Amino acid sequence: MKQWIRSYALGLLTAVIVLAIVYWNTETTSSTVVEMEYSTEELIEQLESKGYQALTMDEWKTLKENDHRQSQTPTPVEKPITTFSIDVVSGTTTDDISAKLIQANIIEDAAEFESFMKENDYSRYIQIGQATLNSEMSLQEIAEAITSK
């Protein structure tokens, strides 16, 4: 065992000596940094050849101001008016009506419509028949159109 450890240590020592000799005897490649001076026109030309756009500070400020103005004035989105004819049959509940109105894009919130009907006591007076509704009608107008109250 003793001889095995000595030979292992001798192998490690030999490897370290070989690596040290190689390290000290090889020439180091020195990397030199060359600073090149580019003109503004050359830089712009290189950027534009790669697909970029160069702007002066004045052009940039003008562009940002225009963008800021456009973001402050939102474009009003006009919702199209949807017309829907609902058939109310015997046994139709407020939940059924609100589901049909949501599906037809007449109202936006079924829970709000159902609570409005209950709070204002319209749900007891739902009238059997047909009613024509549109998306510009208020909850009050819709409730009056489908009830007999």
Side-chain angles (χ1 to χ4, degrees):
M1 178 81 171
K2 192 177 192 183
Q3 190 173 2
W4 185 83
I5 292 175
R6 283 184 185 164
S7 61
Y8 183 74
L10 184 62
L12 284 176
L13 181 62
T14 307
V16 167
I17 290 172
V18 169
L19 287 174
I21 290 171
V22 170
Y23 177 74
W24 282 314
N25 288 332
T26 57
E27 291 183 30
T28 58
T29 57
S30 62
S31 58
T32 57
V33 177
V34 178
E35 288 189 29
M36 296 181 68
E37 197 67 35
Y38 288 108
S39 69
T40 306
E41 289 78 24
E42 290 173 329
L43 289 173
I44 291 173
E45 184 179 309
Q46 281 192 357
L47 285 172
E48 288 177 347
S49 71
K50 301 216 186 234
Y52 293 97
Q53 180 67 40
L55 301 174
T56 64
M57 286 305 287
D58 292 334
E59 292 171 335
W60 176 253
K61 287 177 184 175
T62 304
L63 186 65
K64 291 299 276 183
E65 286 174 6
N66 289 341
D67 187 40
H68 184 66
R69 283 188 206 133
Q70 287 177 354
S71 67
Q72 285 182 344
T73 55
T75 308
V77 178
E78 293 184 23
K79 271 179 59 177
I81 300 172
T82 306
T83 304
F84 179 66
S85 181
I86 186 168
D87 290 322
V88 180
V89 294
S90 179
T92 303
T93 64
T94 308
D95 297 337
D96 299 333
I97 294 172
S98 64
K100 288 179 183 178
L101 295 178
I102 285 283
Q103 210 171 26
N105 291 326
I106 301 296
I107 60 172
E108 294 177 6
D109 188 9
E112 181 183 358
F113 177 73
E114 291 167 15
S115 66
F116 177 82
M117 292 288 284
K118 289 177 186 171
E119 287 172 7
N120 295 305
D121 202 31
Y122 281 108
S123 54
R124 291 182 10 175
Y125 300 102
I126 294 176
Q127 183 70 35
I128 295 173
Q130 189 174 28
T132 303
L133 311 170
N134 67 46
S135 57
E136 286 192 334
M137 295 175 83
S138 67
L139 295 179
Q140 176 81 31
E141 293 170 332
I142 293 172
E144 290 174 357
I146 63 173
T147 62
S148 63
K149 185 177 177 184

Coordinates of all heavy atoms in Angstrom, one line a residue, residues 3 14 42 80 83 121 137 146:
Q3 N 3.9 1.6 -1.2 CA 4.5 1.8 -2.5 C 3.5 2.4 -3.5 O 3.8 3.2 -4.4 CB 5.1 0.5 -3.0 CG 6.0 0.7 -4.2 CD 6.7 -0.6 -4.6 OE1 6.5 -1.6 -4.0 NE2 7.5 -0.5 -5.6
T14 N 4.9 14.6 -11.3 CA 5.4 14.7 -12.7 C 4.4 15.4 -13.6 O 4.8 16.3 -14.4 CB 5.6 13.2 -13.3 OG1 6.4 12.5 -12.4 CG2 6.2 13.2 -14.7
E42 N -20.9 57.6 -40.8 CA -20.5 56.2 -40.9 C -21.3 55.4 -40.0 O -21.8 54.3 -40.4 CB -19.0 56.0 -40.6 CG -18.1 56.6 -41.7 CD -16.6 56.5 -41.3 OE1 -16.3 56.6 -40.1 OE2 -15.8 56.4 -42.2
P80 N -71.8 48.5 -32.0 CA -73.0 48.3 -32.9 C -74.2 48.1 -32.1 O -74.2 47.4 -31.1 CB -72.6 47.1 -33.8 CG -71.6 46.4 -33.0 CD -70.9 47.4 -32.2
T83 N -80.2 44.4 -32.1 CA -81.7 44.2 -31.9 C -82.0 42.8 -31.7 O -81.5 41.9 -32.5 CB -82.5 44.8 -33.1 OG1 -82.0 46.2 -33.2 CG2 -83.9 44.8 -32.8
D121 N -88.9 44.6 -8.2 CA -90.1 43.7 -8.2 C -90.7 43.5 -9.6 O -91.9 43.5 -9.8 CB -91.2 44.3 -7.2 CG -92.2 43.3 -6.8 OD1 -91.8 42.1 -6.7 OD2 -93.3 43.7 -6.6
M137 N -80.9 50.0 -24.9 CA -81.9 50.1 -23.9 C -81.3 50.0 -22.5 O -80.4 49.2 -22.3 CB -83.0 49.1 -24.1 CG -83.8 49.2 -25.3 SD -85.0 47.9 -25.6 CE -86.3 48.5 -24.6
I146 N -90.6 43.6 -21.0 CA -90.9 42.2 -20.9 C -91.8 41.9 -19.7 O -92.2 40.8 -19.5 CB -89.6 41.4 -20.7 CG1 -88.8 41.8 -19.4 CG2 -88.7 41.4 -21.9 CD1 -87.7 40.9 -19.1

